[in-house]
Amino acid sequence: MNSVIKGAGYVLVHTPDMVLHAGTTQTTEKIVNPDSEYLKELPNHIRSYEDVVAYMPNQTYIGNMTPEELAEHEQPWVGKNMENAQRYGKFGEIMPQDEFLVLMQVCDVFELVYLDKAFVSATKDKLAADPVIGEDIMAKVAEGIDGAEIKRLVDEEHAEPLYHMGNLVGCVKRAHDVDVNLSAHVMFENIACKASSVLALLHAVKAAGIDKADVEYVIDCAEEACGDMNQRGGGNFAKAAAEVAGLVNASGSDLRGFCAAPAHAMIEAASLVKAGSYKTVIVTAGGCTAKLGMNGKDHVKKGLPAIEDVLGGFAVVISANDGVNPEINLDMLGRHCVGTGSAPQNVIGSLVAAPLAKGGLKITDVDKFSPEMQNPDITKPAGAGDVPLANYKMIGALAVKNGELDKKELASFPAKHGLVGWAPTQGHIPSGAPYIGFAREDILAGKINRAMIIGKGSLFLGRMTNLFDGVSFTIQPNSGAQAEEGVSEEKVKGLIAKAMKEFAETLMADADAE
């Protein structure tokens, strides 16, 4: 029986100071052109926490607005704040930077993250008020150290500074004097990724209504890598995050595949559950500080805020078939093989048309496709266009080519079978995953019958291959109850008993006749 999606958590973390000090666009600019006009102007384009919470794509990400409701508002959405916007949504929350810094300190188990005493004192009660942050996590909050010692660590010990509202409030120490894989900056990136994953895990467990002890395995599919000089990228983010989240019965491992990793991880998790290896698996991913302000130069040049000011995170709970929740159909998996090639038509054919053909389905039999769901507010000013719309146009064109869609219906295909983009450009975060929570709800409510999640990745970024990558899977209504009824042990026993009884009655009737 197919595995089911039992719930999902989606979180954002507003990190304005990290945009200025950690995003690679900014850190690189400080090296090559430290006196640039961009660096001078950028601080004037940083949004407030209130504006970030009220930003409609962010509200969509945490579930307070549906993609359909977002689509009703004219683009661009920046500057058109949602009224009565809330920090918490049905899927998760938008956490402010100060609380997140304390959560990062909680996630540090090697005494690398230090925060100012006064900052901790002023912030810890705010973090404690978060409904998913329990006493077990708050018990790990350290008192903090003097601000003067933090400045010394930054100035003399190569520690990575941590800022809030422009003020130095902490630092991340290097974990090794020589090993660049354990440098202060790498440790900062990894701990931020881990902390945002922990937050997503906590919300996913809450959304799924399960006990933490029910989780048996965790798969992390973010874009960071942890290890030392002897095994850079050895892992394991999954188990590290599960430890802090209190998933005491869970083991775990990391899966990496650039932007396609979430789709790969979902297929792996569904397969493990279907095989009976584990009953409950969570796929999780934290955010990527390097991508903060990635397109900042274009945004500032056009007078826009630095919209890439949030870390993203998500977690999806996959469990054994319960006869209720939507299934992941493992009989219709799309995959970009080595020999597929990188031509757009070949890519879409391998990820969309080919797997549907296995199930005797047409492209138009899928109600909603979720490929790369980047927010067009971010990508359009940077010259990348509307990424989701471009994908839908290609899928629709393939449907026309295959004779499954009339050419006159091509223009309406994106609105009917697609979604507007609302996810931050955090690499792996937009790649199909943002719609999984909505797809589950829409299928349970009978609004749609079938959704396809498409993950695509640029493997050439690692300089190991020029190949492109991609996988896809389909989510459908639960058919487990009916399937179980047809093959259950009790049903089989009953049929056998009935047959034996009828056979015995036949023998007796024959004997009487003789």
Side-chain angles (χ1 to χ4, degrees):
M1 296 176 62
N2 284 320
S3 311
V4 300
I5 298 171
K6 203 155 190 176
Y10 294 90
V11 300
L12 297 173
V13 183
H14 181 225
T15 52
D17 289 87
M18 292 184 191
V19 174
L20 299 172
H21 300 284
T24 53
T25 295
Q26 289 67 248
T27 56
T28 301
E29 186 77 358
K30 288 177 183 178
I31 295 171
V32 300
N33 191 11
D35 296 320
S36 74
E37 290 301 315
Y38 167 63
L39 291 176
K40 295 175 184 177
E41 184 64 24
L42 180 60
N44 299 322
H45 293 255
I46 298 298
R47 292 190 292 185
S48 68
Y49 175 69
E50 291 73 22
D51 282 343
V52 168
V53 169
Y55 184 49
M56 290 187 287
N58 291 349
Q59 285 292 304
T60 303
Y61 192 82
I62 64 171
N64 283 338
M65 177 181 279
T66 67
E68 291 77 15
E69 289 171 338
L70 178 62
E72 293 174 1
H73 296 268
E74 185 180 359
Q75 298 180 27
W77 300 303
V78 65
K80 302 170 184 175
N81 288 352
M82 176 180 174
E83 294 184 8
N84 302 315
Q86 301 296 315
R87 165 178 173 167
Y88 298 99
K90 60 184 174 184
F91 295 145
E93 67 172 288
I94 304 171
M95 178 174 275
Q97 181 175 253
D98 55 349
E99 293 178 37
F100 184 68
L101 292 175
V102 177
L103 183 59
M104 283 179 61
Q105 185 269 306
V106 167
C107 290
D108 164 42
V109 296
F110 279 88
E111 297 185 357
L112 300 174
V113 180
Y114 289 92
L115 296 176
D116 178 80
K117 279 184 179 180
F119 175 78
V120 173
S121 177
T123 310
K124 64 180 181 180
D125 288 344
K126 291 176 59 181
L127 180 63
D130 190 309
V132 297
I133 301 295
E135 293 180 1
D136 55 335
I137 288 180
M138 292 306 301
K140 299 173 184 175
V141 176
E143 180 182 342
I145 63 175
D146 291 335
E149 177 60 12
I150 290 173
K151 188 175 187 306
R152 188 194 71 79
L153 290 170
V154 172
D155 292 342
E156 301 177 16
E157 301 288 337
H158 304 284
E160 183 79 5
L162 297 175
Y163 297 94
H164 182 61
M165 303 293 287
N167 298 313
L168 180 67
V169 297
C171 66
V172 180
K173 290 175 57 180
R174 58 186 176 181
H176 194 278
D177 292 344
V178 178
D179 191 344
V180 295
N181 302 285
L182 298 173
S183 68
H185 184 77
V186 171
M187 295 311 303
F188 157 74
E189 287 188 342
N190 286 352
I191 293 171
C193 180
K194 175 184 174 182
S196 44
S197 174
V198 167
L199 189 62
L201 283 170
L202 294 171
H203 278 285
V205 168
K206 179 184 177 183
I210 61 173
D211 292 329
K212 291 182 180 181
D214 292 340
V215 182
E216 297 179 331
Y217 203 77
V218 176
I219 301 171
D220 183 282
C221 58
E223 289 189 331
E224 305 290 7
C226 58
D228 62 16
M229 65 175 74
N230 293 308
Q231 51 272 316
R232 66 175 85 97
N236 179 318
F237 277 94
K239 203 163 187 178
E243 176 188 21
V244 179
L247 310 183
V248 293
N249 289 328
S251 183
S253 62
D254 297 347
L255 183 155
R256 295 295 181 262
F258 286 96
C259 300
H264 281 292
M266 288 291 295
I267 292 170
E268 179 183 331
S271 300
L272 287 170
V273 172
K274 185 173 182 177
S277 303
Y278 306 104
K279 292 180 181 178
T280 301
V281 178
I282 300 185
V283 171
T284 185
C288 183
T289 57
K291 290 187 171 70
L292 292 169
M294 187 166 55
N295 294 288
K297 288 185 178 181
D298 292 299
H299 295 157
V300 168
K301 189 183 299 181
K302 292 178 171 60
L304 298 168
I307 309 171
E308 296 160 305
D309 53 4
V310 291
L311 293 177
F314 76 89
V316 181
V317 180
I318 297 96
S319 295
N321 202 304
D322 56 7
V324 177
N325 279 294
E327 302 176 348
I328 296 173
N329 188 333
L330 292 174
D331 295 324
M332 295 193 304
L333 300 179
R335 55 200 181 100
H336 183 278
C337 301
V338 169
T340 299
S342 58
Q345 185 172 309
N346 292 351
V347 173
I348 295 299
S350 67
L351 298 180
V352 178
L356 291 173
K358 292 179 188 176
L361 299 173
K362 300 179 296 184
I363 290 174
T364 50
D365 289 326
V366 175
D367 297 293
K368 292 293 180 182
F369 292 92
S370 178
E372 303 149 296
M373 301 311 301
Q374 283 97 334
N375 175 1
D377 269 5
I378 297 172
T379 56
K380 280 184 175 181
D386 189 324
V387 178
L389 181 60
N391 276 285
Y392 295 132
K393 287 181 177 179
M394 286 190 288
I395 295 171
L398 184 60
V400 172
K401 182 177 180 294
N402 292 348
E404 300 171 357
L405 182 72
D406 193 291
K407 192 172 183 179
K408 64 183 180 183
E409 297 178 289
L410 183 57
S412 62
F413 182 87
K416 184 176 181 180
H417 295 275
L419 305 152
V420 294
W422 67 90
T425 47
Q426 285 271 290
H428 56 297
I429 297 297
S431 198
Y435 183 58
I436 294 174
F438 287 113
R440 174 181 173 272
E441 289 199 337
D442 289 346
I443 290 173
L444 285 173
K447 293 181 180 178
I448 65 171
N449 190 55
R450 192 175 289 111
M452 177 177 278
I453 308 299
I454 305 169
K456 294 192 287 183
S458 304
L459 300 185
F460 49 83
L461 294 171
R463 307 310 195 266
M464 289 287 106
T465 176
N466 282 312
L467 288 176
F468 189 77
D469 186 38
V471 288
S472 66
F473 61 90
T474 302
I475 307 173
Q476 65 190 29
N478 194 289
S479 58
Q482 293 85 347
E484 181 68 20
E485 184 180 354
V487 298
S488 70
E489 185 178 351
E490 292 302 317
K491 184 73 172 180
V492 171
K493 286 180 179 179
L495 291 172
I496 292 173
K498 182 179 179 182
M500 290 180 66
K501 180 181 178 182
E502 291 175 350
F503 180 66
E505 290 174 348
T506 301
L507 289 178
M508 292 177 64
D510 290 344
D512 291 342
E514 293 176 358

